[in-house]
Amino acid sequence: MNKEVIPCLEVCANSYRSALAAQNGGAKRVEFCDNLAEGGTTPSYGQLALAKKNLSIEIWPIIRPRGGDFLYSEMEFEIMKEDIEICKSLNCEGVVIGILKADGTIDKERCAELIELAKPMGVAFHRAFDMSNDMDQALEDLISLQIKRVLTSGGASSAILGAEKIAQLVKRANGQITIMPGAGINENNIKTLIDQTGATQFHATAKAFVSSKMEFRNTETKMGSIEDEYRYELTSENKVKALVDVINNAFNLKENIPGK
């Protein structure tokens, strides 16, 4: 049986600064990533090293070498293994993986190799789960691999829209793995998810836009495809606090100690 039962919030943090905001807001851990617009990719060594040096919150980096699908080449798989070694050298609490085969099933063989390599770190599975061809079978596969938890929107565009399926997954998991709803969760809908799904751990970006302090702005060219390059996203400490408060109240938790 999976022992991870303490209700909590996990924040998808896109930087050291966001991880700090998550810690100050009372989140239990961060899924540390870069490139939120692509669903998250592996963050830099520098970001991870600084976070592990200065923060007490649990750091679980995503191991994803690129955006797009979850079918990886041999070269990409080797990169994933190198990134796991780096995370282990920094004493991260865990890593978050997700690999599928071309037919949409969980790539159990490759996942098992990464899980073994990651020890003694824990291993969670990200929303590649939602892109599998059969979530019920995928769940059984992840349980057999002894994955600690799985992030899911229930296969829908948001956790609220997938709440019915998430509830079914929670029941099917029966405590063998933590089902963690994520996608579009905020302080206004998390109580509904708690009531409807039976889940106890939740995942949110809790992000807000930060305006650039640049005085001169070149409006004739762009560096990428983002519409407004003079603003960027960071985790909001206040949004984290609001989410944590809802969780604590819903489960009658007395303490809210950042990083614990």
Side-chain angles (χ1 to χ4, degrees):
M1 298 289 284
N2 184 40
K3 296 180 180 180
E4 188 183 56
V5 294
I6 300 174
C8 73
L9 176 71
E10 172 185 279
V11 170
C12 183
N14 65 345
S15 64
Y16 169 77
R17 187 173 166 188
S18 286
L20 175 60
Q23 174 174 292
N24 291 342
K28 174 180 173 60
R29 64 177 171 267
V30 294
E31 180 195 57
F32 211 124
C33 69
D34 200 352
N35 298 315
L36 283 179
E38 292 189 276
T41 56
T42 305
S44 73
Y45 176 90
Q47 296 262 22
L48 292 175
L50 197 61
K52 286 303 301 177
K53 179 181 179 181
N54 295 329
L55 303 181
S56 59
I57 194 169
E58 290 186 18
I59 303 296
W60 291 63
I62 190 170
I63 305 300
R64 188 178 179 217
R66 58 164 171 80
D69 63 36
F70 304 101
L71 179 66
Y72 297 112
S73 68
E74 275 301 318
M75 182 183 296
E76 290 168 333
F77 187 55
E78 289 302 313
I79 292 171
M80 296 171 83
K81 289 192 284 187
E82 289 294 326
D83 282 331
I84 286 176
E85 293 280 18
I86 287 172
C87 292
K88 187 159 58 171
S89 73
L90 290 170
N91 296 316
C92 292
E93 282 74 16
V95 291
V96 186
I97 68 171
I99 309 178
L100 301 179
K101 293 184 177 181
D103 63 1
T105 58
I106 302 294
D107 191 332
K108 293 178 66 176
E109 293 77 14
R110 278 181 160 184
C111 285
E113 188 173 344
L114 296 187
I115 291 167
E116 183 63 28
L117 180 64
K119 291 179 179 178
M121 296 187 297
V123 178
F125 203 88
H126 55 57
R127 286 186 63 210
F129 175 80
D130 288 325
M131 307 305 287
S132 64
N133 65 3
D134 183 335
M135 284 189 286
D136 291 334
Q137 181 57 54
L139 183 63
E140 296 302 320
D141 290 341
L142 297 184
I143 290 172
S144 71
L145 287 166
Q146 298 185 314
I147 290 285
K148 192 172 184 65
R149 63 182 171 273
V150 56
L151 173 63
T152 180
S153 65
S157 58
S158 70
I160 281 291
L161 292 177
E164 183 176 350
K165 181 61 178 179
I166 293 171
Q168 293 172 6
L169 291 168
V170 170
K171 185 176 181 179
R172 188 181 187 94
N174 192 31
Q176 299 173 89
I177 186 174
T178 297
I179 305 297
M180 183 172 62
I185 293 180
N186 56 56
E187 63 179 290
N188 298 315
N189 61 25
I190 190 170
K191 182 60 166 61
T192 299
L193 281 168
I194 291 171
D195 293 340
Q196 292 184 357
T197 67
T200 59
Q201 304 209 4
F202 302 87
H203 173 101
T205 57
K207 64 185 179 182
F209 283 106
V210 178
S211 295
S212 169
K213 294 182 180 180
M214 286 292 297
E215 295 176 1
F216 170 77
R217 301 190 178 194
N218 185 341
T219 59
E220 300 301 318
T221 188
K222 297 177 70 176
M223 297 294 103
S225 59
I226 296 174
E227 183 177 347
D228 184 356
E229 295 183 334
Y230 288 99
R231 67 175 188 174
Y232 52 94
E233 295 174 324
L234 285 177
T235 298
S236 163
E237 182 178 328
N238 289 335
K239 288 187 177 184
V240 174
K241 286 180 178 177
L243 284 161
V244 170
D245 284 345
V246 174
I247 294 172
N248 287 348
N249 289 333
F251 292 98
N252 296 314
L253 300 178
K254 301 295 184 182
E255 295 181 304
N256 176 16
I257 305 174
K260 300 296 183 181

